[in-house]
Amino acid sequence: MEGNFGAPPQHRNHLKSPVGNQAGHRRRQQAVQIGKERREAVVRAKRLRRGDAVPNGDQSEAPDSHMDEEATARAAEASSRALEENTLKAVKALREYVGPGIILGKDMALKKIEALRNVRSLLSCNAMPPLNVAVEAGVVPLLVQCLAFGSPEEQILEAAWCLTNIASGEQDLTKAVLPALPYLISHLGDKSAATVAEQCAWAIGNVAGEGEEMRDILLAQGAMRPLARLMSSPYPSLARTASWAMSNLIKGPSPRAASDLMKIEGMADTLVGLMMKGDEELMVELAWVMVYLTSMADAHSGILLSVGLLPILINKLGTSDQTALLTPFLRCIGNIVAGDNSKTDAVLNAGGDISGGIIGALTRCLDMGHRTMQKEAAWAVSNIAAGSMLHKRMVFQGGAIPSLLHLLATAAFDVRKEAAYALGNVCVAPKAKAKEVDPIVEHLTVLVDRGCIPGFTALVKSPDMEAARLGLQFLELVMRGLPGGQGPKVVEKEDGIAAMETLQFHENDELRLMANTLIDKYFGEDYGLEEEYGSEVVDMIRGSDESSEYPPWRRGVVNG
């Protein structure tokens, strides 16, 4: 598949250069990589549930701030040892009440719950709870037995809480929880108390957050449908937790889980209806579900649009200042406009009810000064600008260009790159079959006049190969498309030649060949002669050199 200015089908066009470059694939399933951004902008993919202070004193309290460094280290080490010792004792105490053949009277059953509560407190007491110590001491089989059907509600709750925190740890700890999954899933049912169901959903969400392997296990064991039902719970906390767990369950990279969710009868209507209720905390979690649904298939986007998703997204984009909400909403819009042009038309039309339309709402996010907002908004704008000529003109005339130029010049690197894609897509005409992409001269001229070239030359010189390729493509467009043959002179004035020369011996064959070919074509040995000596002299020089050949280094060949 031919590389695009961006990546198909994430709705970016090709900034065509004459060197036959492949621009590389970009983010078709970017949503599956969202974990890091989500932890930064909203919540962790896994959540440890805090609890009460450790019984008999919290051994994990910070040392006295007046201690010297050595004394602080000794105190911290002593605190850690005490916490580990208490954990071992707590697991040992729990074992006395759990096991085959143990029959407990009423008083002993209460002591069993107290022993469970003690373990739970230790596993939720500080930023680094002794999860490994508890697992190595054999706590998981004991907790699984405590989840048995017919057990007291409080016992199941405490055991599920312990398993939730164990599953919040590293991969080995999460895998240790696998024997408990059938019970945790079963306790999502109608007969469970809301507190128990929520805690089990929390544990399942942590397991799903570990990765695709864990998600496949949960799906095979039937976790999806009970979680889907709990998303509509009348208990707000339970609905939020179930929605968060569902977002972890369907996040991909396989589209199967998202497709299975959409196959549940009435699910699209249910999801949109829940978002209409106005509970912003629930809306945040549901929005992440929408992110993964819209990223996996264009068909999902179409169904969600048909049941009224767009007005909710666009209204909040135009009015909300909540980063936690805007991040997934922006990603949903970006995914939708990454589809066919009819979906982009729908988004643009729906934005007619807010001041400045959807482009104005996205520009508002570009100007918020928040890195994640800027990056997501620029990505959405770039996908709109990769559409039809009408879409490009709406971006160009809708007020986003000054903001994008500002970000290209001043923002963090990843934001600058997204802004560059948006600006580049505004400047290239929709690609016709088997034809080279043509520049939109009016747009290109305005951007160059407003000083965009330094931002693109900076990308050329960056160590990021995708950014360097993007910068080269835009410089080629300027040199080829600026009226009156002024492109090479403008690029030279802004140190574009020096930027391209940094790639002349690059280890990447594509970048090296692109840079050398552009230098040869636009700044060859006769560059500037016509201006100085006239066209007749230049024609004579060119005629005498027809049979000559550039040395290997000028063709991008490196001698080994």
Side-chain angles (χ1 to χ4, degrees):
M1 178 179 293
E2 184 171 85
N4 281 352
F5 186 61
Q10 285 294 71
H11 215 32
R12 302 199 200 257
N13 277 352
H14 194 191
L15 239 181
K16 182 71 175 179
S17 75
V19 297
N21 63 301
Q22 297 292 320
H25 294 290
R26 286 177 50 87
R27 303 199 310 177
R28 171 60 191 119
Q29 294 181 348
Q30 184 189 13
V32 304
Q33 303 170 359
I34 211 168
K36 290 182 181 179
E37 294 172 28
R38 187 176 185 185
R39 284 194 291 273
E40 173 186 338
V42 191
V43 292
R44 290 176 56 87
K46 295 186 177 185
R47 297 172 174 176
L48 183 140
R49 182 176 178 184
R50 304 294 179 187
D52 308 323
V54 178
N56 303 318
D58 186 351
Q59 300 291 338
S60 66
E61 290 181 0
D64 192 315
S65 60
H66 296 292
M67 289 181 173
D68 61 31
E69 186 174 334
E70 185 177 349
T72 299
R74 287 197 302 269
E77 185 178 353
S79 174
S80 179
R81 283 198 305 268
L83 189 58
E84 291 179 4
E85 291 171 4
N86 286 342
T87 302
L88 292 172
K89 290 177 183 177
V91 174
K92 183 178 180 181
L94 178 61
R95 188 174 284 111
E96 295 178 9
Y97 303 102
V98 180
I102 296 179
I103 301 176
L104 302 177
K106 182 177 180 180
D107 290 343
M108 294 293 283
L110 292 175
K111 289 183 179 180
K112 177 182 179 180
I113 292 176
E114 184 60 33
L116 260 176
R117 188 178 296 116
N118 191 24
V119 173
R120 182 264 296 168
S121 295
L122 289 159
L123 297 184
S124 55
C125 61
N126 67 1
M128 296 292 290
L131 304 177
N132 276 303
V133 175
V135 171
E136 290 171 4
V139 76
V140 172
L142 305 178
L143 296 173
V144 172
Q145 292 184 57
C146 291
L147 293 174
F149 300 115
S151 299
E153 178 183 311
E154 188 175 3
Q155 175 180 306
I156 297 173
L157 177 62
E158 293 288 352
W161 190 338
C162 292
L163 290 163
T164 296
N165 286 357
I166 292 171
S168 74
E170 299 297 327
Q171 185 179 55
D172 290 345
L173 292 172
T174 306
K175 286 187 174 182
V177 175
L178 291 180
L181 294 185
Y183 286 106
L184 293 170
I185 293 170
S186 296
H187 288 306
L188 298 176
D190 292 331
K191 296 182 180 180
S192 296
T195 53
V196 169
E198 180 179 0
Q199 195 59 64
C200 291
W202 194 332
I204 288 167
N206 277 347
V207 173
E210 182 55 47
E212 188 176 14
E213 179 185 357
M214 297 294 102
R215 292 192 281 275
D216 286 344
I217 293 171
L218 286 166
L219 291 168
Q221 295 190 10
M224 174 169 286
R225 285 188 174 270
L227 274 181
R229 181 184 60 82
L230 292 177
M231 292 165 67
S232 300
S233 170
Y235 300 98
S237 181
L238 174 54
R240 289 193 294 267
T241 299
S243 299
W244 165 76
M246 181 63 77
S247 72
N248 271 353
L249 189 62
I250 68 169
K251 67 168 56 174
S254 169
R256 183 172 66 87
S259 296
D260 287 347
L261 179 61
M262 290 295 287
K263 289 175 184 176
I264 296 176
E265 186 176 357
M267 182 49 59
D269 290 283
T270 297
L271 291 172
V272 173
L274 289 171
M275 292 187 75
M276 288 179 177
K277 287 186 174 181
D279 177 346
E280 284 210 351
E281 290 183 72
L282 175 58
M283 194 178 288
V284 167
E285 303 303 346
L286 289 168
W288 285 109
V289 174
M290 299 295 190
V291 165
Y292 300 123
L293 290 175
T294 55
S295 73
M296 295 301 166
D298 285 346
H300 299 165
S301 297
I303 294 170
L304 291 168
L305 295 187
S306 70
V307 296
L309 176 61
L310 268 182
I312 303 170
L313 296 178
I314 292 175
N315 177 265
K316 288 296 182 182
L317 285 181
T319 59
S320 178
D321 292 320
Q322 299 300 314
T323 301
L325 189 64
L326 289 176
T327 299
F329 274 41
L330 282 168
R331 182 59 62 93
C332 281
I333 290 292
N335 285 341
I336 292 168
V337 297
D340 56 64
N341 284 345
S342 65
K343 293 185 177 63
T344 303
D345 289 337
V347 170
L348 292 168
N349 291 335
D353 295 334
I354 60 175
S355 177
I358 185 61
I359 304 301
L362 292 173
T363 302
R364 175 175 167 271
C365 295
L366 291 173
D367 294 337
M368 277 188 172
H370 188 285
R371 175 181 155 272
T372 301
M373 294 295 95
Q374 293 169 336
K375 183 177 179 181
E376 294 297 334
W379 178 67
V381 172
S382 74
N383 280 338
I384 294 173
S388 67
M389 184 62 76
L390 174 63
H391 300 158
K392 296 172 186 293
R393 292 201 179 279
M394 290 184 74
V395 171
F396 185 75
Q397 297 169 0
I401 298 302
S403 299
L404 290 168
L405 289 169
H406 177 72
L407 293 177
L408 178 66
T410 64
F413 177 76
D414 56 344
V415 179
R416 286 193 284 124
K417 194 160 71 169
E418 291 300 338
Y421 270 107
L423 292 167
N425 280 339
V426 167
C427 292
V428 291
K431 186 179 179 182
K433 290 184 178 179
K435 290 184 179 180
E436 183 177 80
V437 171
D438 293 322
I440 302 174
V441 176
E442 176 193 355
H443 296 179
L444 184 64
T445 302
V446 170
L447 263 60
V448 170
D449 288 345
R450 293 187 181 182
C452 73
I453 298 296
F456 283 98
T457 57
L459 292 181
V460 172
K461 293 184 285 187
S462 77
D464 182 288
M465 287 194 293
E466 180 187 358
R469 183 185 299 111
L470 169 60
L472 282 175
Q473 289 176 315
F474 191 84
L475 294 186
E476 186 278 331
L477 191 72
V478 171
M479 292 185 288
R480 173 165 58 92
L482 215 59
Q486 293 300 305
K489 295 181 178 63
V490 171
V491 170
E492 179 185 25
K493 181 180 178 181
E494 300 294 349
D495 293 327
I497 298 177
M500 288 186 284
E501 285 177 341
T502 64
L503 301 177
Q504 283 189 302
F505 301 99
H506 198 280
E507 61 184 11
N508 180 271
D509 292 342
E510 180 189 353
L511 291 180
R512 185 177 66 249
L513 183 60
M514 285 176 68
N516 284 326
T517 303
L518 291 177
I519 291 173
D520 288 346
K521 179 174 181 178
Y522 293 104
F523 305 101
E525 294 180 359
D526 56 358
Y527 174 66
L529 292 179
E530 184 170 342
E531 184 175 310
E532 186 170 355
Y533 298 107
S535 58
E536 293 182 2
V537 174
V538 172
D539 290 341
M540 182 178 65
I541 293 173
R542 286 174 178 166
S544 65
D545 287 345
E546 283 182 354
S547 61
S548 65
E549 183 179 7
Y550 287 120
W553 68 268
R554 294 286 279 177
R555 302 197 307 273
V557 178
V558 177
N559 293 321

